[in-house]
Amino acid sequence: VATVLANRGISARKEAVRYLNPVMTYCYNTRNIKDAEKAAKIIAKAISKKVKIAIYGDYDADGVMSITILYKTLKNAGADVFYYVPKREEEGYGLNRQAVEHFAAEGVKLIITCDNGIAAFPEIERAKELSMAVIVIDHHEPAFIEEGGVRVPKTPDANAIIDPKQTDCRYPFKNLCAAGLSYKFVKYFCTEYHISFDDDEFLVLAAIATICDIVDLVDENRIIAKNGLKRLNEGICKNLGLRKLIELRKLKYGDIDECIVGFIIGPCINAAGRLAHAEIAVNLFTTDDELRAESLAAEIIALNESRKEMSERAFELACTEAEKFSDDKVLVLFIPEIHESIIGVVAGKLKEKYSKPTIMITKSGDTAKGSARSIEAYNIFEEMYAHNDLYLRFGGHAMAAGFSILEENIPVLRQRINATCRLTENELTKKLYADMIIPLNDVTFELTQELELCEPFGRKNEEPTFISEGVYTEQISILGTNRKTLKFIFLTDSRRKIKAVAFNRFDDFLALLKSSYSEKVIESFVNGIIKKLTVKLDIAYHTEINEYNGISSVQLKIIDFKLSAEEEECEND
């Protein structure tokens, strides 16, 4: 476990204690976020004067949770407040002029943006012209201009900007998501102005957004995620909409981890903004009506099922298109048929498949919209921002970006961004990093329990990975309706049996067997005639505790495998 911590840059005792026991008291003082005090005063004054306030959010899980946290807090404080979520296809990402002018006509005097706004220069200027104050709560990278080879940051003329990524912000942690920022800010605001604040509810919502937005799961993000999940699994779920979503998805308190949040809860929230209107999701998390909450939860679950089908078809189409540009280091694909709501999902899957930065573009009215996803070695925001003259709108951060562009500029973008790409073959090679090589006999129940202290896992806090070499299989079974999953029983040196599962790896394992066994033996194994098959493998895996019929045991989650070197030598002989 000490090695696992050291591999994550934790080498001092104080750091280790903070990492293994990330209590909320380790969070930093929100007062140190630039403009937090200024923003709190503006809001307090607006509430006291009964000024109309508009919260302008975004249509993903981070945006939805940000709106929910801000709206419910301000409503509870007595504010005259409403929320507005842009329609993805009609309005696109970020604050837009039409919405600003609509707010002015409705008598709004204060706009609070969340999960957007740091790049809304003309829109904020227009709001000021119409006598509206603007507070920006955002976590995206501020723009910059080059002056004499020096980067000069550029931010819009808002009344207050809460974004730790501003160079003159002295807050020590720069990577909070928008909901994390919103949670910290409203908690500070309520403390300063003696307003009741439901920490249990909003911490859980901030934790869900932190996991879903795939920000670095370290430091304060990890504190928020860990404690939010802890409260949720203790059955402390004060948000009615979230309770209904958990009930309808048949999730069990005590078992809700980062995987369930990232792959079940998050996609349902995002589906509303992708296929319908994210306002449905915000309505779900802000309602106090039980029947309405159940109906809205059922609606976003159904939307997510449709989204999954669309994504699968789109991914197949995108893979075919990607092969045409196999020599490019950065994939820039324009596929008009793909629905713009899922281009980000498809870009992410392509990035994983090809281990290349991927920019996915589709048609949107008279123009085109794009979504980019990157690999660790490539700052997609900076690399794309260097070609800022090509976009109609652009924003993002190191790992992801969104933009709109004229169709005729797409080939220019493809040519330029590949011409300036300095990625090496080594950086483009997909790698599997393991914490250490250990004998399988070292994998015990006690070790697995200790490793659970490192949860939740995510970006920059990856799940501990181990390699064991020369491991014998006692039994291998084929599972699943599509018969793509493998179940192993391995034998340790002390003849102890350890179960393992490898999802969607049947084809890879079959190819491996062909170098060791005859077609007849392989056919018998596939058809279930041969129950036991002895193979000597090198395996890479995560450990987990599996509970079945009230019995807990260690199980391995296989990431990769290959024939052991000794096995290969025997075959060659």
Side-chain angles (χ1 to χ4, degrees):
V1 175
T3 300
V4 168
L5 266 60
N7 288 346
R8 282 146 188 76
I10 300 161
S11 54
R13 183 181 185 278
K14 186 177 179 181
E15 292 173 325
V17 169
R18 183 183 169 98
Y19 176 86
L20 294 171
N21 185 35
V23 293
M24 292 300 294
T25 52
Y26 288 138
C27 284
Y28 304 110
N29 190 340
T30 308
R31 188 185 289 273
N32 291 328
I33 298 179
K34 183 178 182 287
D35 285 358
E37 191 174 355
K38 189 191 292 187
K41 286 179 180 177
I42 293 169
I43 293 172
K45 187 177 179 180
I47 293 173
S48 68
K49 290 184 173 297
K50 300 295 181 184
V51 161
K52 186 174 279 192
I53 302 170
I55 298 170
Y56 189 101
D58 187 26
Y59 32 66
D60 67 357
D62 191 22
V64 166
M65 292 313 191
S66 301
I67 297 168
T68 302
I69 291 167
L70 287 162
Y71 173 77
K72 294 190 79 169
T73 301
L74 296 190
K75 196 75 176 170
N76 181 55
D80 179 6
V81 61
F82 69 95
Y83 54 81
Y84 184 94
V85 195
K87 295 181 177 67
R88 182 188 289 262
E89 290 185 46
E90 295 171 26
E91 297 170 89
Y93 169 79
L95 192 61
N96 67 77
R97 186 186 178 98
Q98 188 176 350
V100 168
E101 292 175 348
H102 169 71
F103 292 160
E106 292 292 315
V108 169
K109 293 298 179 185
L110 172 61
I111 300 172
I112 304 173
T113 72
C114 51
D115 202 20
N116 70 93
I118 197 67
F121 291 88
E123 293 80 12
I124 290 175
E125 185 180 334
R126 181 61 178 150
K128 302 292 281 295
E129 289 172 359
L130 295 170
S131 303
M132 289 184 284
V134 182
I135 295 171
V136 171
I137 302 176
D138 202 354
H139 70 121
H140 293 96
E141 297 281 353
F144 58 85
I145 54 174
E146 295 273 357
E147 289 184 356
V150 178
R151 285 184 182 178
V152 179
K154 187 181 174 189
T155 54
D157 186 27
N159 297 77
I161 299 176
I162 295 174
D163 186 342
K165 288 191 172 78
Q166 295 176 93
T167 54
D168 56 348
C169 178
R170 60 193 179 98
Y171 195 69
F173 187 63
K174 304 294 185 182
N175 293 314
L176 287 163
C177 69
L181 272 173
S182 299
Y183 161 74
K184 292 216 65 182
F185 171 69
V186 295
K187 188 175 182 179
Y188 161 75
F189 169 74
C190 290
T191 302
E192 287 291 299
Y193 292 93
H194 310 291
I195 299 163
S196 63
F197 177 78
D198 197 331
D199 203 358
D200 285 331
E201 177 179 4
F202 298 136
L203 177 60
V204 169
L205 300 185
I208 288 171
T210 298
I211 293 165
C212 292
D213 213 50
I214 321 179
V215 289
D216 294 353
L217 215 55
V218 298
D219 204 326
E220 204 166 31
N221 282 338
R222 187 165 179 276
I223 294 170
I224 290 170
K226 180 107 175 176
N227 287 281
L229 287 178
K230 183 174 182 288
R231 293 190 195 186
L232 183 59
N233 281 308
E234 288 169 348
I236 304 174
C237 184
K238 293 190 174 181
N239 186 278
L240 175 62
L242 181 58
R243 284 204 307 273
K244 288 297 175 186
L245 182 58
I246 287 168
E247 285 172 20
L248 293 184
R249 285 306 319 251
K250 295 182 169 54
L251 303 176
K252 184 181 174 185
Y253 294 111
D255 292 340
I256 301 173
D257 61 9
E258 67 276 13
C259 291
I260 287 174
V261 169
F263 294 102
I264 297 178
I265 295 175
C268 289
I269 300 169
N270 286 329
R274 293 188 189 284
L275 299 191
H277 189 191
E279 193 174 80
I280 299 168
V282 183
N283 292 342
L284 169 65
F285 296 116
T286 55
T287 187
D288 293 321
D289 184 301
E290 191 150 347
L291 288 176
R292 186 166 187 244
E294 189 161 332
S295 172
L296 289 167
E299 186 175 356
I300 67 171
I301 289 169
L303 285 168
N304 189 48
E305 291 304 310
S306 299
R307 190 273 313 163
K308 283 195 284 189
E309 292 174 12
M310 287 172 61
S311 296
E312 287 170 11
R313 292 196 298 270
F315 180 60
E316 290 175 11
L317 193 64
C319 287
T320 302
E321 184 70 10
E323 296 302 323
K324 299 176 185 176
F325 302 97
S326 58
D327 292 336
D328 288 357
K329 290 183 177 180
V330 181
L331 290 174
V332 181
L333 307 179
F334 176 50
I335 309 179
E337 307 96 290
I338 293 182
H339 197 279
E340 69 179 72
S341 66
I342 58 172
I343 53 174
V345 175
V346 176
K349 292 176 76 172
L350 287 170
K351 183 258 299 186
E352 288 299 320
K353 179 179 173 67
Y354 296 104
S355 193
K356 290 180 178 182
T358 301
I359 301 170
M360 191 73 228
I361 308 169
T362 190
K363 194 168 180 62
S364 178
D366 296 331
T367 62
K369 282 187 183 172
S371 189
R373 298 293 182 271
S374 196
I375 60 176
E376 290 289 342
Y378 191 81
N379 187 318
I380 199 83
F381 174 81
E382 291 193 358
E383 296 293 340
M384 290 187 69
Y385 191 76
H387 312 288
N388 200 33
D389 59 302
L390 296 177
Y391 319 120
L392 302 171
R393 294 169 71 93
F394 175 75
H397 49 77
M399 297 301 290
F403 62 99
S404 56
I405 190 171
L406 296 174
E407 282 187 38
E408 57 262 35
N409 284 338
I410 296 171
V412 183
L413 174 62
R414 180 184 294 117
Q415 186 277 324
R416 277 203 212 166
I417 208 156
N418 275 287
T420 57
C421 179
R422 296 292 177 263
L423 286 169
T424 64
E425 287 305 313
N426 182 54
E427 289 171 327
L428 287 165
T429 301
K430 195 168 186 177
K431 299 172 184 68
L432 171 63
Y433 293 97
D435 284 278
M436 59 195 302
I437 298 172
I438 61 173
L440 194 59
N441 215 42
D442 284 4
V443 179
T444 62
F445 191 84
E446 291 73 24
L447 170 66
T448 306
Q449 280 185 313
E450 286 182 5
L451 289 169
E452 286 184 344
L453 293 172
C454 301
E455 295 176 350
F457 303 117
R459 187 166 179 258
K460 297 290 178 76
N461 185 47
E462 287 79 10
E463 190 168 358
T465 302
F466 302 104
I467 290 173
S468 293
E469 298 175 322
V471 179
Y472 281 104
T473 61
E474 185 189 66
Q475 190 171 328
I476 310 164
S477 310
I478 306 169
L479 307 176
T481 52
N482 61 359
R483 290 178 61 77
K484 294 291 184 183
T485 295
L486 296 165
K487 182 179 179 182
F488 297 89
I489 296 178
F490 293 118
L491 286 176
T492 70
D493 291 342
S494 62
R495 307 300 292 173
R496 182 164 59 92
K497 296 179 181 180
I498 295 184
K499 293 178 181 177
V501 63
F503 295 101
N504 298 314
R505 296 304 300 271
F506 172 75
D507 292 338
D508 298 324
F509 189 67
L510 200 62
L512 178 146
L513 287 180
K514 286 177 180 176
S515 64
S516 302
Y517 288 94
S518 66
E519 286 186 16
K520 185 178 180 181
V521 171
I522 293 172
E523 187 179 345
S524 298
F525 164 67
V526 171
N527 293 327
I529 298 169
I530 294 178
K531 300 293 183 184
K532 291 193 175 185
L533 201 61
T534 302
V535 185
K536 195 175 184 182
L537 298 173
D538 295 340
I539 55 173
Y541 56 88
H542 304 313
T543 64
E544 64 179 357
I545 293 173
N546 183 48
E547 293 188 11
Y548 183 71
N549 286 339
I551 299 171
S552 298
S553 61
V554 177
Q555 179 173 278
L556 310 183
K557 291 184 292 183
I558 303 294
I559 307 165
D560 206 356
F561 46 73
K562 68 182 184 72
L563 282 178
S564 179
E566 295 175 28
E567 183 95 353
E568 288 176 345
E569 285 170 14
C570 291
E571 286 304 312
N572 291 337
D573 290 343

